[in-house]
Amino acid sequence: MGVKAVVEDYISKKDRIISTAIDIICDSGLSALTTRNIALKENMSEALLYKYYGSIDEVLKDVVDYYFKFDKGIQATISAKESSYIDKIKAYVDSYASYYDNYYALSVIMLQYEELLHNPVTRDKVAEGTLDRREFLTKLFEGAIANKEIQPYIPPDKLSMVVTSIIYQLTLNRRFVFKKETFQSETNRFVDKMIEFITIR
Amino acid sequence: MGVKAVVEDYISKKDRIISTAIDIICDSGLSALTTRNIALKENMSEALLYKYYGSIDEVLKDVVDYYFKFDKGIQATISAKESSYIDKIKAYVDSYASYYDNYYALSVIMLQYEELLHNPVTRDKVAEGTLDRREFLTKLFEGAIANKEIQPYIPPDKLSMVVTSIIYQLTLNRRFVFKKETFQSETNRFVDKMIEFITIR
């Protein structure tokens, strides 16, 4: 292999390890995320795994980076949209709802914020990432209020917090309540209803 | 010591261990809950700790039991209240808000549902306990709608879910956003605002 191929192979192997780590966290919880379990699932020796990741915390750091990876791109797409703020809010929620519907294991990272906030390796990223998501949504609600699209009685940061917590709760629900409806349609229905309730007609 | 004193001493020692376990989970996360860390904090040997608890999972089981311990009592008190359903809902939320304000470390168990749902020892208790809390609140919202105290446009189970998720989110917020307001007043303000919004006048 040439240098380029070797580098590409190295990167794609790291990507696979992260994807396996996310599956382990989803299937068995954070306590099951060990180099031993990753090596087993990847059918490689732990010694080989250490060529890619020096410790389980390095893996976890990349898992969290991956979790927040598309945020800036999604925000840029929504900001560039020519539409009302209400439609921007709906499109923003739908981006995550659709993404998590297709990649369920990734959404479960959301349920582990508390433990990730205890880990010095992931703490800052989780705090910044979650606040950044919420602030973006707050700005959209601010716009919707300024534009007289929705009623001004509930402050925008509270509306943003409610949407964030609903997405969390619907994700947690899936862990112990069976639902026929997809996560995407359930989330959109819930948030649409909430927005409908505060919309000015 | 007589038999009674020995038994009482044994029980109060177990209580202290659970309280220490809750503090460890709050301060350092579930991954830090080990027999070694409990023994260190309790200034006892691990061998002595094993006289009270055979494994860390037994400790965790009692932590979760403690977490849900007062639910039935709170529900009975609220049900017996002679008041409107709206006031019952407010009193119900205030019971937890006030309790968690005084015992912050305990509220943090709520942020660990996901990991506790992965553990066979705590899974059923957490699923039943959370669903039970939510169903009780759903019944109160059903009563408020039947009594024409609040608007009927949002189904009671959804209202209950929103309140539950707001309490979760306010608890999580405390982990990385500094607040001057107490948890109790913040939670009550939020839920009051929400109820005010759907109240029929």
Side-chain angles (χ1 to χ4, degrees):
Chain A
M1 284 198 278
V3 172
K4 192 161 168 265
V6 170
V7 170
E8 274 168 6
D9 193 57
Y10 181 80
I11 292 171
S12 87
K13 191 72 191 169
K14 289 192 84 167
D15 284 348
R16 279 204 45 190
I17 292 169
I18 294 312
S19 150
T20 297
I22 292 168
D23 288 346
I24 291 172
I25 295 170
C26 175
D27 292 344
S28 317
L30 263 182
S31 67
L33 185 68
T34 58
T35 48
R36 186 184 146 81
N37 283 346
I38 295 175
L40 269 172
K41 268 209 145 187
E42 281 290 299
N43 202 18
M44 72 202 301
S45 69
E46 277 188 79
L48 182 57
L49 178 62
Y50 281 118
K51 280 182 64 179
Y52 297 95
Y53 283 102
S55 71
I56 202 67
D57 271 351
E58 281 183 27
V59 176
L60 203 56
K61 190 180 160 296
D62 274 8
V63 165
V64 170
D65 280 342
Y66 185 86
Y67 175 74
F68 289 111
K69 192 175 172 181
F70 302 105
D71 284 12
K72 286 295 163 205
I74 290 174
Q75 292 185 6
T77 308
I78 299 295
S79 297
K81 243 173 105 73
E82 297 271 356
S83 74
S84 68
Y85 280 98
I86 284 187
D87 285 342
K88 284 186 185 190
I89 292 165
K90 288 184 181 177
Y92 184 59
V93 170
D94 185 58
S95 308
Y96 286 99
S98 133
Y99 186 44
Y100 289 152
D101 217 20
N102 287 303
Y103 195 173
Y104 174 66
L106 189 66
S107 71
V108 166
I109 301 297
M110 190 192 318
L111 307 178
Q112 294 283 7
Y113 284 163
E114 165 69 4
E115 199 69 8
L116 295 171
L117 284 167
H118 279 297
N119 188 327
V121 171
T122 49
R123 176 175 174 83
D124 290 352
K125 189 84 190 173
V126 168
E128 278 164 31
T130 51
L131 285 176
D132 179 67
R133 284 182 178 187
R134 217 188 294 167
E135 270 162 28
F136 183 75
L137 196 50
T138 300
K139 289 219 174 72
L140 294 181
F141 276 115
E142 273 169 13
I145 291 172
N147 244 11
K148 300 205 187 323
E149 296 173 28
I150 60 167
Q151 298 177 16
Y153 309 122
I154 305 178
D157 60 321
K158 300 294 181 279
L159 291 169
S160 165
M161 208 200 84
V162 170
V163 170
T164 307
S165 40
I166 286 171
I167 293 175
Y168 166 85
Q169 199 66 42
L170 291 175
T171 307
L172 181 66
N173 279 359
R174 302 259 150 177
R175 302 311 256 173
F176 53 95
V177 185
F178 174 73
K179 297 273 175 176
K180 262 197 264 179
E181 203 181 355
T182 66
F183 178 71
Q184 187 179 7
S185 86
E186 195 186 15
T187 306
N188 288 337
R189 197 166 46 80
F190 220 106
V191 172
D192 285 359
K193 186 99 182 172
M194 176 192 149
I195 291 175
E196 188 193 309
F197 211 75
I198 52 175
T199 297
I200 298 173
R201 273 173 209 89
Chain B
M1 283 195 281
V3 172
K4 188 160 170 269
V6 170
V7 170
E8 272 169 8
D9 192 56
Y10 181 79
I11 292 172
S12 88
K13 189 74 191 165
K14 288 192 85 167
D15 284 348
R16 277 203 47 188
I17 292 168
I18 294 311
S19 150
T20 296
I22 291 168
D23 288 346
I24 291 173
I25 295 170
C26 175
D27 293 343
S28 318
L30 265 181
S31 67
L33 186 67
T34 58
T35 48
R36 185 185 146 79
N37 282 345
I38 294 174
L40 269 171
K41 268 205 145 191
E42 282 290 298
N43 203 17
M44 70 201 304
S45 69
E46 275 187 82
L48 183 57
L49 178 62
Y50 282 117
K51 282 181 64 179
Y52 298 95
Y53 283 103
S55 71
I56 201 67
D57 271 350
E58 280 182 27
V59 176
L60 203 54
K61 190 179 160 298
D62 275 7
V63 165
V64 170
D65 280 342
Y66 185 85
Y67 176 75
F68 289 111
K69 191 174 175 181
F70 302 105
D71 284 13
K72 288 294 166 208
I74 290 174
Q75 292 183 8
T77 308
I78 299 294
S79 297
K81 240 176 108 74
E82 299 269 358
S83 75
S84 68
Y85 281 98
I86 283 187
D87 283 343
K88 285 186 184 189
I89 293 166
K90 288 183 182 179
Y92 184 58
V93 170
D94 186 56
S95 307
Y96 286 99
S98 131
Y99 186 43
Y100 290 153
D101 216 19
N102 286 305
Y103 195 173
Y104 175 67
L106 189 66
S107 71
V108 166
I109 301 298
M110 189 192 319
L111 307 178
Q112 293 284 7
Y113 285 162
E114 164 69 6
E115 199 69 7
L116 295 170
L117 284 166
H118 280 296
N119 189 328
V121 171
T122 49
R123 177 177 173 81
D124 290 352
K125 188 85 189 170
V126 168
E128 278 164 31
T130 51
L131 286 175
D132 180 66
R133 284 180 178 188
R134 218 188 296 168
E135 271 163 29
F136 183 76
L137 197 50
T138 300
K139 290 218 175 70
L140 294 181
F141 276 115
E142 273 169 15
I145 290 173
N147 246 9
K148 300 207 188 318
E149 296 173 27
I150 59 167
Q151 300 178 14
Y153 309 124
I154 304 179
D157 61 321
K158 300 292 182 281
L159 290 170
S160 165
M161 207 199 86
V162 171
V163 171
T164 307
S165 38
I166 285 172
I167 292 174
Y168 165 85
Q169 198 67 43
L170 292 176
T171 307
L172 181 65
N173 278 359
R174 302 259 149 176
R175 300 310 255 171
F176 52 95
V177 184
F178 174 74
K179 298 270 176 180
K180 262 195 266 181
E181 207 179 353
T182 66
F183 179 71
Q184 186 178 8
S185 85
E186 195 186 13
T187 305
N188 287 339
R189 198 166 45 82
F190 221 107
V191 172
D192 285 358
K193 187 98 185 173
M194 176 190 149
I195 292 175
E196 188 193 308
F197 211 74
I198 53 176
T199 298
I200 297 173
R201 272 173 210 90

